[in-house]
Amino acid sequence: MSFTETKKLDEKYIAGTYKRFETEIFEGQGATLYSEDGKKYIDFGSGIAVNSFGVNDQIWKDAVIAQLNKVQHASNLYYTRPQAELAKLLCERTGAKKVFFSNSGAEANECAIKAARKYSFDKYGEGRYEIVTLKNSFHGRTMATLTATGQDAMHKYFMPFLDGFFYAEPTYEGVRKVCSKKTCAVMLELVQGEGGVRPLEIEQVKEIELFCKKNDILLIIDEVQTGNGRTGKLYAFEYYGIQPDIVSTAKGLAGGLPLGATMLFEKCEKVLGAGDHGSTFGGNPVACAGAISILKRLDKELLLEVQGKSAYMFTHLGRIKNVIKVTGLGLMLGLEITKNAREVAEECLRRGLIVLTAKDKIRLLPPLTIKKDEIDTGLKILNEVISE
């Protein structure tokens, strides 16, 4: 089947919710991808921070196939070893006490929201249910997480929204002003991804943490995109030197399979009991096997490599003509440029480089294991396109 035929099928049968780029991803190895007609691309997107170790990683495939050869799915009414082992790994690496598994970042955030509200209900009774998020944030596309998203542009068409969400400026004073006696949680992305790859200031985040602790307001950190090595730490909250009460993650956790996790720390470890929440596919043994393979290899050495690649890319990106500013953390980079970001992304694709956009910025999320020659090839194309 040719690309033209695939495109026709897509346009005829798939809901038109995506503004797709003009290529078909067919196969690849690591951070190098190929279309159906054999055109080569350097991947600076990794499926929006999902393919942590790129594509076709043999160790990951072996782990997934080994589990497929046993059982591909089991109801959460029964125990499965991969789920238990993955939960143990996450708790040991983060200090969390319990984990709830789901299928996506939005679902992980839904669980975080429910856990925060139940914690407050159990302790204070009805009426203390409000959650403060930040302006320009993005937390998902379900009704609760869309409501939690602090972007007016995403709030069209789907009214009425859920009650109890309020949006603050991304500072301590901004959060403090919006919080009230009804606030049960503050929910932050430490680097706003969809909002333009904007890192929060460390001191502001630490002040927010202290404010939350003083007022028994839970601190939820949304690590859907920043988690699993993306920032050069296993989770970005380590970089900020804070202790969250709840952490949500997904995307790169299972290296390309759908898996979300909500990590509950000491305050919340007993908040969810039988029947309070659930998921048919959450903690699927195949996805968990993939995640175990990823997490075990996200060691200190690899995270230091991510930090080194980040510094290298920051330096070279900052030298490109028409780049106003480079933002981000680790291998989660944003380029503020003088040109139209979508047009730049389309031209990069034509020349063999996959990049993403976030608002008016170019967004770069290469695989954590991308090789130096792949980075250099991608930087050369970016330089050519943006400088022209």
Side-chain angles (χ1 to χ4, degrees):
M1 184 183 294
S2 68
F3 168 59
T4 301
E5 291 171 316
T6 299
K7 184 178 177 183
K8 284 181 179 179
L9 283 177
D10 183 292
E11 291 173 348
K12 184 174 182 179
Y13 295 110
I14 295 179
T17 55
Y18 304 107
K19 188 178 180 181
R20 301 197 197 275
F21 287 95
E22 288 291 312
T23 193
E24 175 188 355
I25 304 302
F26 187 70
E27 61 185 356
Q29 182 69 51
T32 300
L33 305 178
Y34 297 90
S35 63
E36 186 273 337
D37 62 1
K39 183 173 179 179
K40 178 180 176 180
Y41 298 94
I42 300 299
D43 183 14
F44 274 15
S46 61
I48 315 184
V50 170
N51 297 329
S52 299
F53 292 179
V55 299
N56 237 333
D57 178 79
Q58 192 61 51
I59 297 173
W60 179 85
K61 285 197 302 182
D62 288 345
V64 169
I65 291 168
Q67 182 57 45
L68 276 171
N69 286 332
K70 295 174 183 175
V71 60
Q72 78 274 24
H73 173 75
S75 163
N76 278 312
L77 296 174
Y78 310 98
Y79 297 96
T80 58
R81 185 175 300 174
Q83 192 176 124
E85 289 181 354
L86 177 58
K88 179 176 182 286
L89 268 177
L90 287 168
C91 288
E92 288 178 345
R93 296 286 297 273
T94 65
K97 301 297 184 181
K98 301 283 186 181
V99 182
F100 177 86
F101 290 115
S102 52
N103 310 283
S104 66
E107 288 174 88
N109 283 333
E110 286 273 352
C111 178
I113 291 165
K114 288 178 70 174
R117 287 184 166 178
K118 187 169 186 296
Y119 169 85
S120 195
F121 183 90
D122 290 346
K123 192 168 182 179
Y124 299 99
E126 294 183 10
R128 193 177 185 272
Y129 60 89
E130 294 177 356
I131 294 175
V132 172
T133 66
L134 300 184
K135 294 179 181 179
N136 204 48
S137 61
F138 179 82
H139 297 292
R141 295 183 184 275
T142 62
M143 286 305 296
T145 56
L146 187 62
T147 308
T149 293
Q151 299 187 47
D152 290 340
M154 293 191 174
H155 289 171
K156 297 185 293 184
Y157 314 126
F158 307 113
M159 293 74 74
F161 291 105
L162 277 70
D163 184 30
F165 290 89
F166 297 87
Y167 315 112
E169 295 293 336
T171 63
Y172 160 67
E173 282 298 326
V175 169
R176 186 186 63 80
K177 287 178 182 178
V178 176
C179 286
S180 72
K181 291 182 179 179
K182 294 183 178 181
T183 304
C184 71
V186 171
M187 188 174 188
L188 308 176
E189 296 168 281
L190 297 174
V191 183
Q192 294 182 327
E194 297 291 337
V197 199
R198 303 169 189 268
L200 304 185
E201 293 184 14
I202 291 177
E203 291 308 313
Q204 296 292 323
V205 172
K206 287 185 173 180
E207 287 194 61
I208 292 169
E209 178 198 25
L210 183 60
F211 171 78
C212 288
K213 289 188 185 305
K214 284 182 177 178
N215 293 278
D216 196 22
I217 294 170
L218 296 182
L219 181 60
I220 303 171
I221 302 299
D222 177 344
E223 298 249 18
V224 171
Q225 191 168 146
T226 57
N228 313 299
R230 178 56 50 186
T231 64
K233 298 285 187 180
L234 186 60
Y235 291 98
F237 75 81
E238 300 170 41
Y239 179 87
Y240 279 75
I242 59 171
Q243 181 55 67
D245 299 300
I246 302 174
V247 172
S248 60
T249 194
K251 285 192 180 291
L253 178 58
L257 293 174
L259 182 66
T262 307
M263 291 174 268
L264 306 171
F265 290 73
E266 189 172 356
K267 274 189 178 181
C268 302
E269 66 173 305
K270 297 179 181 177
V271 74
L272 295 177
D276 287 335
H277 200 41
S279 171
T280 296
F281 290 103
N284 170 273
V286 177
C288 285
I292 291 167
S293 171
I294 296 292
L295 272 180
K296 283 185 174 179
R297 287 186 288 157
L298 283 173
D299 56 16
K300 184 177 181 180
E301 182 180 353
L302 193 147
L303 293 172
L304 285 172
E305 287 180 12
V306 170
Q307 294 171 28
K309 291 170 186 176
S310 173
Y312 182 80
M313 292 185 73
F314 259 98
T315 298
H316 287 272
L317 291 167
R319 295 172 179 166
I320 296 176
K321 180 184 175 182
N322 298 324
V323 170
I324 300 168
K325 188 177 181 181
V326 185
T327 62
L329 195 60
L331 290 179
M332 183 177 179
L333 303 167
L335 303 183
E336 184 179 343
I337 57 177
T338 60
K339 296 186 169 186
N340 179 279
R342 176 75 188 196
E343 291 175 2
V344 167
E346 289 173 347
E347 182 58 30
C348 283
L349 190 71
R350 281 190 282 273
R351 301 191 191 194
L353 174 66
I354 293 172
V355 300
L356 306 166
T357 62
K359 290 190 175 293
D360 57 352
K361 288 184 178 179
I362 294 295
R363 178 169 42 158
L364 310 178
L365 299 162
L368 307 183
T369 51
I370 189 170
K371 298 174 183 176
K372 186 178 181 298
D373 64 320
E374 293 170 323
I375 293 175
D376 287 340
T377 301
L379 289 174
K380 183 176 183 292
I381 295 170
L382 264 176
N383 185 33
E384 292 170 352
V385 174
I386 296 174
S387 296
E388 287 176 353

